Amino acid sequence: MNYRKLFTLSVLSILLITSLPIFAQNASDPEKEQQKSQFVGLYKYLAAKVPYPSKALFSNLQGTTTFLFQVENGQIQNVETALNLEGLSENVKNLISAYTGLSKTINGKYCIDVVFQMENKQNTLVQEKPIIPADYIKLSGLNIMAGGSPKNQNVPDNSTYKIEEVDTPPNFPGGYKALQAYFSENIKYSEEALKNKVEGKVYFSFKIDYDGDVRDVKIVRGLGFGLDEIVKKVIKDCPKWNAAMKNGQTVSTKFSYFAECRLPNP
């Protein structure tokens, strides 16, 4: 038996088996590349909207933030911060959530790095790389450069605006349907309201802070019978909203809305 020939064939077989997955992983995926090309609008939008935060400038804060998100029917959902820099990531997260210019044909999971870098600074604050799930498509990174002195940058906007005064209004994660579903799941009828068969809408106003928290809930027109207090508590306890945007910053807004109360089916 020719052992040298047999050994050579075995080595070749091992090389072929171990090389195939590598070639498969490194192969270009036309579908993914086509999907990536449809994010040009998002890059232009973020480049125009994302400022270098003033607080970060004063603190000499720089580094990379990484975001994961999903696209369904052209709508960006479930934006998560995979790698976070306090003071740098919140504005970007809200901006990504608010973007509406994507095609309805690019459903999928995506990942994007946003690098904040200051002039004449070589070391970044965050150097480790986050672990990104294999089913997420990695998009090209976006660089935000800080130019000039911190004293020349705009200070954070602590004003409270009306809806019509902001560039992007606040929105509940998942949109109108998700908000109505939240009300439906959490508004429980009081015994007094059930006894008197009360139905209708409870109108209220509240403030959505620059960080997405709900504050200053007030009943504008209620139904009584204990429903107003229940609705008020549900609003106070609701998840964070995507805050409104103005001049590239998250800002606080006054908001008015209603909750519809319907008697449970008998």
Side-chain angles (χ1 to χ4, degrees):
M1 181 180 293
N2 190 335
Y3 289 100
R4 179 176 293 181
K5 185 175 182 181
L6 180 61
F7 175 75
T8 303
L9 288 172
S10 299
V11 171
L12 284 172
S13 298
I14 292 171
L15 286 173
L16 284 170
I17 292 170
T18 57
S19 297
L20 284 174
I22 296 174
F23 284 125
Q25 290 171 5
N26 294 338
S28 61
D29 186 337
E31 184 179 354
K32 287 185 179 180
E33 292 304 316
Q34 183 180 8
Q35 286 177 315
K36 289 181 182 180
S37 68
Q38 297 190 57
F39 284 89
V40 173
L42 175 63
Y43 282 99
K44 291 181 179 179
Y45 164 80
L46 291 176
K49 294 284 189 180
V50 177
Y52 207 107
S54 301
K55 290 181 180 179
L57 283 170
F58 279 102
S59 302
N60 289 327
L61 183 63
Q62 62 176 343
T64 301
T65 56
T66 302
F67 301 90
L68 305 175
F69 61 92
Q70 299 177 24
V71 178
E72 185 174 344
N73 295 323
Q75 183 178 5
I76 294 178
Q77 301 177 349
N78 304 324
V79 182
E80 298 179 4
T81 310
L83 188 59
N84 176 43
L85 286 179
E86 186 177 356
L88 291 178
S89 63
E90 194 61 35
N91 272 358
V92 183
K93 183 176 179 180
N94 288 330
L95 281 167
I96 293 174
S97 299
Y99 184 67
T100 58
L102 292 179
S103 167
K104 294 184 178 181
T105 62
I106 57 172
N107 293 345
K109 299 178 180 180
Y110 300 90
C111 168
I112 184 172
D113 288 340
V114 179
V115 182
F116 288 87
Q117 190 172 353
M118 302 178 70
E119 292 181 357
N120 304 320
K121 299 279 186 180
Q122 295 183 351
N123 297 324
T124 56
L125 182 65
V126 174
Q127 308 219 345
E128 68 269 19
K129 293 184 178 180
I131 298 175
I132 306 301
D135 56 341
Y136 277 76
I137 299 173
K138 179 78 171 180
L139 301 175
S140 301
L142 175 69
N143 279 31
I144 304 296
M145 294 292 298
S149 166
K151 295 181 180 179
N152 297 327
Q153 303 295 324
N154 293 328
V155 297
D157 190 342
N158 295 320
S159 303
T160 300
Y161 293 91
K162 297 178 181 178
I163 295 297
E164 60 269 20
E165 295 175 330
V166 299
D167 300 329
T168 304
N171 62 88
F172 189 82
Y176 172 80
K177 289 184 178 179
L179 180 58
Q180 292 302 316
Y182 171 77
F183 286 154
S184 178
E185 292 172 6
N186 292 279
I187 295 177
K188 308 300 181 183
Y189 258 69
S190 64
E191 291 185 8
E192 189 179 4
L194 284 171
K195 181 180 178 180
N196 289 276
K197 299 182 179 179
V198 178
E199 288 187 325
K201 296 177 179 178
V202 176
Y203 292 85
F204 51 88
S205 65
F206 58 101
K207 175 181 175 181
I208 300 173
D209 236 343
Y210 65 89
D211 59 0
D213 286 334
V214 171
R215 305 184 187 278
D216 303 333
V217 182
K218 298 178 181 178
I219 301 298
V220 177
R221 190 168 77 232
L223 295 171
F225 301 96
L227 286 175
D228 300 346
E229 290 75 13
I230 292 171
V231 169
K232 187 173 183 178
K233 185 178 186 307
V234 169
I235 298 303
K236 284 184 175 181
D237 295 341
C238 79
K240 279 180 176 285
W241 287 54
N242 297 316
M245 302 294 301
K246 185 176 178 67
N247 299 325
Q249 296 188 52
T250 56
V251 294
S252 301
T253 46
K254 293 179 179 178
F255 202 72
S256 296
Y257 205 66
F258 66 88
E260 190 161 4
C261 300
R262 294 294 178 193
L263 288 166
N265 293 327

